Amino acid sequence: QVQLQESCPGLLKPSQTRSYTCTVSGGSVTTSYYYWNWIRQPPWEGLVWIGAIAWDGSTYYSPSLKTRTSISRDTSKNQFSLQLISVTPEDTAVYHCARASDLRAATDERYDYWGQGTQVTVSS
């Protein structure tokens, strides 16, 4: 059973930069051909795919968020991370990490395993 756990929630001020980590257990971030994703859900809105890092380390981003996000991984810790750059209140959301079986599934929001989510709030 694969389990994903996001790092602790955070309260940020506008323009700050912060990283969040997803720790994977019961599986490996290097296992072919899975994609490891970050998704967010703003208040009273639907899911938004942020981006993914593939089993081989390749990264993929939503065009609307590409300039303010960065995804990386630490294979020694079996973790992958999301960096939020210069946040605004519009970045307030519950952030989830999740696994997808291919890139189409990732962008179509079809995931087989999810983390429980972590609340990120941006407020001055």
Side-chain angles (χ1 to χ4, degrees):
Q1 180 79 4
V2 176
Q3 293 183 318
L4 297 91
Q5 178 66 58
E6 299 89 349
S7 56
C8 294
L11 176 61
L12 306 180
K13 296 186 182 299
S15 81
Q16 286 186 318
T17 294
R18 185 72 56 85
S19 291
Y20 294 90
T21 297
C22 183
T23 301
V24 179
S25 58
S28 172
V29 297
T30 61
T31 300
S32 306
Y33 299 94
Y34 289 108
Y35 290 73
W36 302 89
N37 301 267
W38 286 99
I39 311 102
R40 72 184 187 184
Q41 185 166 19
W44 305 293
E45 297 185 30
L47 295 173
V48 176
W49 180 71
I50 300 169
I53 187 163
W55 82 97
D56 63 357
S58 302
T59 53
Y60 305 84
Y61 297 95
S62 167
S64 64
L65 295 169
K66 184 175 183 178
T67 60
R68 297 196 303 109
T69 57
S70 180
I71 298 175
S72 60
R73 67 180 184 178
D74 184 338
T75 57
S76 68
K77 296 181 180 179
N78 211 29
Q79 295 175 332
F80 63 107
S81 298
L82 170 68
Q83 184 182 50
L84 298 175
I85 301 166
S86 189
V87 298
T88 72
E90 287 67 39
D91 293 313
T92 294
V94 177
Y95 285 74
H96 295 271
C97 55
R99 190 183 80 169
S101 57
D102 55 51
L103 186 57
R104 173 61 65 89
T107 57
D108 287 349
E109 301 168 6
R110 292 181 284 114
Y111 310 111
D112 53 4
Y113 293 101
W114 291 73
Q116 63 182 14
T118 189
Q119 176 69 49
V120 175
T121 302
V122 183
S123 175
S124 57

